[in-house]
């Protein structure tokens, strides 16, 4: 049996960054990834999401991100990740879907079916894409139309001629409405009124990620430090309309937003005031939850429902060390759930792993 110093689970932005830094520190590790190909969640994004549509993808360490343009993100980013893995010789093994991580004395055992890897530390970088969240509403099972989540979004062609209700107040909902309004009949419902940012523009977006974004990330980090489930960073920073959404804005789609309906009926949705809208499709752009079910045997969760994390440094995105079990690092979780955050957290995790290995020498025999 080989004993690894670290096992990384997940080869998205966060996992690749962690692996790069572990390699630089000469830490013996393997990266286990559930997908058959490089690309993390990006390979599963819908075909009409171009590099012009993404909010901004941060560089990987020593790996500049591809530029903007009309090419499909689900093609460009996997290509970039694949090149990166090869260039730096990162030890990625795929496809391996980890189903359990168990503690065995000082060691951790990472299991995928019959296969197992034994390690002294763990870096979990499994993202959120495999845990789509759909809120429950009475009558959902009676709906005869189609219910789709962001992960199923088939693109506008499939929805032409249908009446589509987009649910959710985040960036994906805004983008879907922008894309669908010119070709089909759309409605919008959100739980809370969306927070629009007046200063939105490409430049303001960049400035935002430097300034306002930091405050938002700090709020998420404070939640995570207390052991609360992480909130979405966008939910606290506000939304903007880009040129791609101007047509939908002109049609008044964003102004006609309604609060959430009270129940779902076979051919539509009904609000508490009794009003009813017929819809053919409900598109749930209602976000994701961290994909951490395989960590359940380690009992990392606090009574408040989240996994409490401690920071490595002063940067809020270095909150990666499980407060309960310092052998375990979570990257791309909470304050680091963005490409820039994943990048920084990967470095922090490698630092934390090195410290842990130095402070907890293996007592053989
Ligand atoms: P992922 O890219 O999801 O990678 C996780 C990896 O872990 C996957 O390869 C998966 O196969 C693997 N995995 C999962 N479970 C297991 C398991 N049990 N065993 C083994 N492997 C497993 N952020 C930005 O900064 N800019 C953007 O423009 C942006 N756009 C976004 C658009 C959409 C529609 C969404 C949903 C999110 C967007 N984000 C964006 C947030 C984005 O998801 C993250 O920034 C980043 O891509 C996440 O990287 P990650 O490495 O944490 O996770």
């Amino acid at each position: 049996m080989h004993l690894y110093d670290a096992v990384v689970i997940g080869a998205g932005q966060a996992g690749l960054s962690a692996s790069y830094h572990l390699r630089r520190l000469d830490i013996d590790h393997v990266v286990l990834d559930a997908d058959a190909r490089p690309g993390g969640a990006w390979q599963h994004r819908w075909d009409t999401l171009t590099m012009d549509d993404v909010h901004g993808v941060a560089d990987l360490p020593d790996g500049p991100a591809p530029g903007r343009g009309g090419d499909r993100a689900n093609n460009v980013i996997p290509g970039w990740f694949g090149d990166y893995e090869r260039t730096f010789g990162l030890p990625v093994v795929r496809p391996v879907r980890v189903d359990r991580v168990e503690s065995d004395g000082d060691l951790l055992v990472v299991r995928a079916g019959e296969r197992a890897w034994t390690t002294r530390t763990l870096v979990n970088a499994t993202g959120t894409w495999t845990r789509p969240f759909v809120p429950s509403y009475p009558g959902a099972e009676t709906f005869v139309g189609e219910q789709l989540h962001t992960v199923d979004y088939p693109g506008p062609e499939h929805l032409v001629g249908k009446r589509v209700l987009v649910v959710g107040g985040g960036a994906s909902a805004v983008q879907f409405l922008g894309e669908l309004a010119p070709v089909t009949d759309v409605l919008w419902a959100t739980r809370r009124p969306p927070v629009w940012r007046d200063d939105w523009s490409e430049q303001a977006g960049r400035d935002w990620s430097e300034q306002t974004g930091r405050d938002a990330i700090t709020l998420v980090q404070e939640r995570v430090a207390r052991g609360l489930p992480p909130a979405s960073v966008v939910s606290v920073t506000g939304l903007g309309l880009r040129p791609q959404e101007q047509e939908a804005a002109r049609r008044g789609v964003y102004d006609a937003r309604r609060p959430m309906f009270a129940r779902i009926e076979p051919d539509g949705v009904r609000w508490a005031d009794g009003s009813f809208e017929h819809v053919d499709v409900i598109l749930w752009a209602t976000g994701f939850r961290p994909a951490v079910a395989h960590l359940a045997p380690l009992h990392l969760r606090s009574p408040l429902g989240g996994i409490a994390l401690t920071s490595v440094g002063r940067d809020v995105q270095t909150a990666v060390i499980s407060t309960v079990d310092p052998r375990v690092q979570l990257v791309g979780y909470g304050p680091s759930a963005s490409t820039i955050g994943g990048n920084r957290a990967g470095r922090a995790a490698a630092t934390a792993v090195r410290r842990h290995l130095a402070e907890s020498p293996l007592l053989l025999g």
Side-chain angles (χ1 to χ4, degrees):
M1 178 204 73
H2 183 84
L3 172 60
Y4 288 95
D5 283 334
V7 167
V8 179
I9 312 179
Q13 186 110 10
L16 293 184
S17 167
S19 179
Y20 170 93
H21 288 291
L22 288 168
R23 172 138 283 182
R24 278 196 69 164
L25 296 175
D26 213 14
I27 292 172
D28 177 33
H29 71 284
V30 66
V31 184
L32 308 175
D33 187 53
D35 276 294
R37 295 184 303 127
W42 289 103
Q43 65 194 284
H44 304 295
R45 308 271 204 249
W46 53 97
D47 286 349
T48 49
L49 186 80
T50 69
M51 292 302 291
D52 273 339
D53 296 316
V54 301
H55 287 296
V57 175
D59 296 342
L60 281 162
D62 274 340
R68 294 201 163 268
D71 292 332
R72 280 165 33 188
N74 63 13
N75 204 12
V76 173
I77 297 179
W80 170 47
F81 279 12
D83 289 346
Y84 188 81
E85 288 175 14
R86 278 187 295 278
T87 303
F88 293 100
L90 302 184
V92 185
V93 181
R94 58 166 64 91
V96 176
R97 182 168 297 281
V98 172
D99 38 52
R100 286 177 82 71
V101 181
E102 293 161 357
S103 183
D104 180 8
D106 288 343
L107 305 180
L108 294 161
V109 184
V110 179
R111 297 190 187 280
E114 298 297 304
R115 303 170 74 188
W117 292 259
T118 304
T119 178
R120 298 176 66 197
T121 67
L122 184 80
V123 179
N124 191 79
T126 45
T128 59
W129 186 258
T130 52
R131 269 206 69 203
F133 172 71
V134 176
S136 73
Y137 277 86
E141 68 292 348
T142 68
F143 187 63
V144 296
E146 243 183 315
Q147 293 192 62
L148 304 170
H149 183 271
T150 300
V151 294
D152 313 304
Y153 179 61
E157 273 170 36
H158 174 80
L159 299 169
V160 171
K162 296 180 181 161
R163 194 146 203 257
V164 183
L165 171 64
V166 178
V167 182
S172 298
V174 170
Q175 285 193 18
F176 291 147
L177 290 161
E179 184 162 295
L180 293 173
V183 298
T184 193
D185 189 11
V186 281
L187 302 165
W188 189 24
T190 72
R191 207 150 44 97
R192 284 186 289 270
V195 182
W196 295 106
R197 295 181 40 246
D198 302 335
D199 61 340
W200 187 267
S201 67
E202 284 296 318
Q203 184 53 46
R206 275 193 289 276
D207 293 348
W208 162 81
S209 51
E210 294 296 320
Q211 299 158 24
T212 326
R214 190 143 289 273
D215 300 339
I217 291 163
T218 302
L219 288 179
V220 178
Q221 193 265 339
E222 284 166 4
R223 285 180 63 87
V224 166
R226 289 162 54 205
L228 284 159
S232 151
V233 169
V234 173
S235 69
V236 275
T237 56
L239 299 164
L241 292 179
R242 305 161 312 151
Q244 295 95 313
E245 279 98 49
Q246 292 311 318
E247 175 62 12
R250 204 182 53 72
R251 289 169 187 254
V253 167
Y254 299 108
D255 300 328
R257 177 206 73 94
R258 298 198 63 175
M260 283 307 290
F261 41 83
R263 59 178 296 108
I264 301 175
E265 298 188 0
D267 55 356
V269 292
R270 192 171 298 278
W271 276 266
D273 65 4
S275 60
F276 177 80
E277 289 282 357
H278 163 78
V279 295
D280 302 303
V281 179
I282 303 175
L283 177 52
W284 298 99
T286 39
F288 297 83
R289 297 287 181 267
V292 289
H294 54 284
L295 301 180
L298 298 177
H299 305 294
L300 304 178
R301 240 181 236 291
S302 89
L304 298 173
I307 297 178
L309 299 179
T310 309
S311 298
V312 174
R314 264 182 298 195
D315 184 327
V316 290
Q317 288 171 328
T318 67
V320 297
I321 310 171
S322 159
T323 311
V324 172
D325 186 340
R327 296 173 298 179
V328 180
Q329 333 296 317
L330 272 80
V331 295
Y333 179 94
S336 68
S338 67
T339 57
I340 192 160
N343 223 25
R344 290 178 179 155
R347 180 185 193 137
T351 305
V353 164
R354 182 180 55 181
R355 270 190 215 162
H356 181 83
L357 295 173
E359 287 165 8
S360 318
L362 197 60
L363 302 174
L364 293 171

